[in-house]
Amino acid sequence: LQLGKALAYTCYQMYARTNTGLAAETVRFPTTANSVDFDSRSQHNILRPETVESFFILHYLTKDPVYREWGWEVFESIEKCCRTHIAYASLRNVNDFHKGHDDRMESFFPAETLKYLYLLQDPDLHLDILNTHVFNTEAHPLRILD
């Protein structure tokens, strides 16, 4: 669990350290002896779910409110930077909002990213992801049959 928490914190920092509050699609961790940080390899963000999925699972397991706070920050950044007049769109540059959007919204964004953000904030969640429910690859919760 400690390793999972540390990885989630690193993912959170990938969001928090950009001008938009959204992480770059890829980052690089330099391998030099004195390097302890990361840098962005590509500047775009296509609204992937993996980080907020991790926040959801860690909050479920630990009940630590920090994961809800981080998820809320991600949601606010998505609302501020990726919402358009019709839907949501990928961001071309996480450090320069003025470079605009790509004219696309990946299907995993509403199916997974928004769903995990919603479940993360739901105070009355009635899913038992350890014993009675499982998520499929598109984040749909399914009850485990006996």
Side-chain angles (χ1 to χ4, degrees), residues 2 8 13-14 23 40 59 62 64 73 80 89 100 109 114 124 126 130-131 136 139:
Q2 285 305 112
Q13 289 301 316
M14 291 178 197
S40 299
H59 179 265
T62 68
D64 187 338
E73 288 177 30
K80 179 180 175 187
F109 173 67
L114 286 179
D124 301 317
H126 296 295
L130 295 178
N131 299 301
N136 71 6

Side-chain angles (χ1 to χ4, degrees), residues 30-46:
T31 57
T32 59
N34 296 334
S35 182
V36 293
D37 214 346
F38 56 85
D39 59 25
S40 299
R41 298 289 301 220
S42 60
Q43 296 296 312
H44 67 285
N45 177 292
I46 61 172

Side-chain angles (χ1 to χ4, degrees), residues 33-80:
N34 296 334
S35 182
V36 293
D37 214 346
F38 56 85
D39 59 25
S40 299
R41 298 289 301 220
S42 60
Q43 296 296 312
H44 67 285
N45 177 292
I46 61 172
L47 304 170
R48 288 193 186 271
E50 288 79 10
T51 296
V52 294
E53 177 182 9
S54 298
F55 295 167
F56 165 72
I57 299 224
L58 283 167
H59 179 265
Y60 181 88
L61 294 174
T62 68
K63 305 300 185 230
D64 187 338
V66 73
Y67 301 111
R68 275 189 170 161
E69 293 166 16
W70 292 351
W72 187 251
E73 288 177 30
V74 170
F75 176 74
E76 288 182 317
S77 294
I78 290 170
E79 284 292 301
K80 179 180 175 187

